[in-house]
């Protein structure tokens, strides 16, 4: 518990009461229970996060070849579920706030949180995001990719490429000593220059023993978070959701989960879990062979 006169958890150096105390109160006190530097992982926790990230990357490598025309999204869910359990780990999505499946699969105008179904099969021309999150020895790894099924429209391909590059821009903006808002500042102008828009309602997030912890990572130019300084040992996700049309989204009234673009336009997403290092950044949700900025994204030409 942070006292009113303690330094704020965000690292601004200001007293808590002069900084995030009011904001936390309006958000239901989430920040208040965090000890001052809980956001910075210990050496031991970093080892745990590396392991969780590496497994999530391995799971993505496993599932990638199955993401093909004709497969049902429920079948993909089962493959993810079984592979995770067979390796002794836990699918984080299953039961998270009552989410009913082990993976989120979001097709075309679905922005995120699509629920796998035996009645939905991938079709030629679809763009499909597969968002995997695994708990390994208590730590979370969270990453997603958008796949193009067979031949897709030129505009769909454009969107997927812009989105992949948006994640790279975000990862490249991670530097110790810089504000967290550098990420959105790098992503949004880039995305807008390609006539796409950045979803604002969903963001990246701190990650560790909890799925969503400590702070939001904005992918757009936001007024919040300018005072949160990236420090070595922080772990969070960067996961831009990019729309071909406008950024507003709506949640399905019946299932309470499926998020769609309000204007019906296509949406794509890529996500990685990253660690701030002394030098810059380490992408955790990759198998070790992929550790370089050119190859952090797997995408066909
Ligand atoms: N994987 C998503 C994220 O990137 C969260 C999914 S929550 C679920 O933050 F409940 F829908 F699984
Ligand atoms: Co995430
Ligand atoms: Co995710």
């Amino acid at each position: 518990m942070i006292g009113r006169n303690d330094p704020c958890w965000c690292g601004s150096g200001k007293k808590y009461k002069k900084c995030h105390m009011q904001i936390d109160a309006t958000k239901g006190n989430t920040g208040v229970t965090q000890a001052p530097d809980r956001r910075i992982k210990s050496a031991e926790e970093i080892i745990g996060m590396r392991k969780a990230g590496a497994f999530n990357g391995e799971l993505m490598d496993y599932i990638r070849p199955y993401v093909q025309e004709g497969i049902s999204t429920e079948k993909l869910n089962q493959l993810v579920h079984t592979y995770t359990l067979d390796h002794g780990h836990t699918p984080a999505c299953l039961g998270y706030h009552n989410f009913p499946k082990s993976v989120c699969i979001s097709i075309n105008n679905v922005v995120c949180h699509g629920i796998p179904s035996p009645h939905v099969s991938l079709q030629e021309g679809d763009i499909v995001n597969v968002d995997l999150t695994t708990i390994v020895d208590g730590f979370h790894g969270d990453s997603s990719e958008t796949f193009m099924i067979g031949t897709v429209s030129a505009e769909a391909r454009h969107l997927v490429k812009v989105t992949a590059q948006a994640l790279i821009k975000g990862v490249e903006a991670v530097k110790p000593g810089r504000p967290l808002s550098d990420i959105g500042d790098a992503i949004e102008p880039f995305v807008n220059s390609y006539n796409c828009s950045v979803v604002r309602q969903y963001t990246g997030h701190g990650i560790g023993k909890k799925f969503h912890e400590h702070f939001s990572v904005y992918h757009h130019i936001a007024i919040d978070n300018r005072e949160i300084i990236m420090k070595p040992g922080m772990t969070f996700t960067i996961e831009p959701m990019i729309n071909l049309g406008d950024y507003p989204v709506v949640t399905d009234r019946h299932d309470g989960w499926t998020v769609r673009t309000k204007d019906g336009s296509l949406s794509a997403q890529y996500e990685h879990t990253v660690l701030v290092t002394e030098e810059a950044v380490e992408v955790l949700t990759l198998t070790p062979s992929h550790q370089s900025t050119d190859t952090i994204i797997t995408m066909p030409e």
Side-chain angles (χ1 to χ4, degrees):
M1 183 85 163
I2 305 178
R4 297 166 53 80
N5 292 312
D6 288 338
C8 189
W9 53 262
C10 76
S12 64
K14 289 190 242 171
K15 287 184 178 176
Y16 184 51
K17 67 180 178 193
K18 289 260 158 93
C19 194
H20 270 84
M21 192 170 86
Q22 300 284 326
I23 304 167
D24 286 347
T26 61
K27 287 183 181 166
N29 281 344
T30 46
V32 185
T33 52
Q34 310 280 3
D37 259 337
R38 273 305 288 127
R39 294 176 302 125
I40 296 174
K41 264 66 180 174
S42 66
E44 219 179 346
E45 289 173 313
I46 290 169
I47 291 169
M49 287 300 290
R50 283 207 178 100
K51 210 176 149 197
F55 178 75
N56 218 61
E58 176 188 324
L59 179 58
M60 189 65 84
D61 289 348
Y62 164 74
I63 203 69
R64 203 175 281 117
Y66 291 100
V67 187
Q68 300 284 348
E69 183 180 359
I71 195 166
S72 75
T73 53
E74 172 57 20
K75 178 71 186 166
L76 288 170
N77 174 64
Q78 283 166 14
L79 289 166
V80 167
H81 185 86
T82 305
Y83 189 92
T84 305
L85 264 56
D86 284 351
H87 287 76
H89 307 315
T90 308
C93 294
L94 186 60
Y96 183 75
H97 294 280
N98 293 324
F99 189 78
K101 299 286 176 177
S102 297
V103 58
C104 295
I105 303 184
S106 304
I107 305 176
N108 296 333
N109 63 324
V110 178
V111 174
C112 62
H113 303 167
I115 303 173
S117 159
H119 309 296
V120 176
S121 296
L122 304 185
Q123 294 180 16
E124 166 121 34
D126 283 346
I127 58 169
V128 184
N129 178 270
V130 177
D131 191 345
L132 304 170
T133 314
T134 313
I135 309 171
V136 174
D137 300 339
F139 292 95
H140 289 75
D142 186 8
S143 56
S144 83
E145 275 181 27
T146 298
F147 299 88
M148 297 184 264
I149 308 302
T151 307
V152 307
S153 68
E155 54 176 16
R157 173 170 291 268
H158 170 77
L159 173 67
V160 173
K161 289 199 164 199
V162 168
T163 308
Q165 284 161 4
L167 174 57
I168 294 172
K169 292 275 176 208
V171 170
E172 286 174 346
V174 176
K175 291 194 179 68
R178 295 292 311 167
L180 197 58
S181 51
D182 274 14
I183 294 168
D185 290 357
I187 291 175
E188 190 174 33
F190 170 79
V191 166
N192 290 348
S193 77
Y194 285 95
N195 284 319
C196 299
S197 69
V198 178
V199 170
R200 299 174 179 210
Q201 204 164 321
Y202 294 88
T203 66
H205 47 92
I207 183 167
K209 286 189 172 145
K210 288 200 259 170
F211 196 155
H212 295 105
E213 65 181 32
H214 307 307
F215 48 77
S216 297
V217 177
Y218 296 102
H219 305 115
H220 65 287
I221 300 174
I223 42 170
D224 276 12
N225 277 1
R226 306 216 151 253
E227 72 288 3
I228 298 183
I229 304 302
M230 293 186 261
K231 291 186 184 154
M234 284 169 66
T235 52
F236 51 83
T237 71
I238 306 176
E239 48 179 303
M241 282 148 263
I242 308 299
N243 298 349
L244 206 45
D246 208 355
Y247 63 78
V249 299
V250 281
T251 305
D252 190 291
R253 272 186 286 131
H254 303 288
D255 69 26
W257 279 106
T258 312
V259 177
R260 297 185 179 85
T261 55
K262 195 168 178 192
D263 62 11
S265 65
L266 293 174
S267 186
Q269 181 180 24
Y270 281 82
E271 173 175 27
H272 273 309
T273 300
V274 304
L275 165 73
V276 183
T277 64
E278 297 289 341
E279 297 74 36
V281 64
E282 185 178 318
V283 178
L284 299 178
T285 32
L286 286 171
T287 40
S289 59
H290 287 92
Q291 281 287 351
S292 98
T293 349
D294 314 342
T295 55
I296 64 168
I297 305 287
T298 302
M299 193 186 58
E301 268 315 298

